[in-house]
Amino acid sequence: MTGESRGQRIVALAGGVGGARLVDGLDRTLPAGALTVVVNTGDDFQHWGLRISPDLDTVMYTLAGLSPEERGWGIDGDTFHVLAEAERRGAAGWFQLGDRDLVTHLRRTKGLAGGRTLTEVTTSLCRTLGVERTLLPMSDVPRPTVIETPDGRRIPFQNWLVRERTGPAVAQVHYEGRPDATATVRDALRGADLVIICPSNPYVSIDPILTLDGIAPLLREKQVIAVSPLIGGRAVKGPLAKMVAQIDADEPTSAWVAAHYGDVLDGLLVHPGDAFTTDLPLLETNILIQDRRDRVALAESLLDFARINR
Ligand code: FO1
């Protein structure tokens, strides 16, 4: 596969843990320079005066081999002494920032305060952790995701996800502000031979990227292949299944994923048993990523499928 992919430029759109795992498989499969990862920053927020970019960090730590296998976010084996002390002194402790992880947030916050862009800061964070792949925040300007409940309450995304444990029902998801994708992101997409939509939550990880001005029209000119984030009517991780029921009053199926992405999509990978009747090229293959071997196998199947359907 590496030989066949030589010279190809592939862009992956990714959110959190599920996206990071496929990106890791692509990283292990594709030659140097062939892969650019555009990462959702709608989850970003300020906490303890620090700029936290959970999805960028999840992808970065995964590529650096630092992520905990099960949990997926943060740094494996991290300690939480600062968190315990901060809580003892009355700080909010609902978002678990690990001691080693804190160095990332401190450096990012300092870099941004010094006038560097999130793109620049991300590149330097990656280099210090030995990550050579190009990781690009979707935008250098904040675009916070906000959850709206049926009674009109608006809850910042991390508060809803972590603090309120996805309890409040979701009527709508908003992406606040109208920043542009960075020029670097647009150039990467313009030059792409293949765009991969990772198995991340469409509403809160992928749509923040797809709804940036000019991105969807650009993608309609490209071969775009997605991996379903749903298996047998359940999300591999996170609240997607109940969001589909609450927001779209629909069943959380692969057919929903295809309909959601609509004419942007040129192919979809679904788990065995999840195929449905459609003109869209489908590949039924194991999309449940449990270990490193699964990540590479999925990346290879996807690249083969893209080549056959080009
Ligand atoms: N997710 C949680 O469910 N609880 C946490 O306390 C938490 C802390 C955290 C710290 C750093 C980081 O990079 C990610 C963290 N996450 C936590 C994960 C993260 O908030 C979500 O998984 C993503 O935003 C969803 O893509």
Side-chain angles (χ1 to χ4, degrees), residues 15-17 40 43 52-55 57-58 61 73-74 94-98 101 105 157-158 161-162 205 237:
V17 175
N40 169 44
D43 292 16
I52 319 288
S53 299
D55 286 357
D57 291 347
T58 298
Y61 291 151
W73 52 262
W94 57 269
F95 197 76
Q96 293 182 45
L97 295 175
D101 184 30
H105 313 307
F157 179 69
Q158 292 296 337
L161 181 79
V162 179
S205 294
K237 199 173 191 302

Side-chain angles (χ1 to χ4, degrees), residues 112-127:
L112 293 174
R116 294 164 72 205
T117 64
L118 185 60
T119 302
E120 291 165 345
V121 173
T122 301
T123 302
S124 87
L125 285 169
C126 284
R127 295 301 173 262

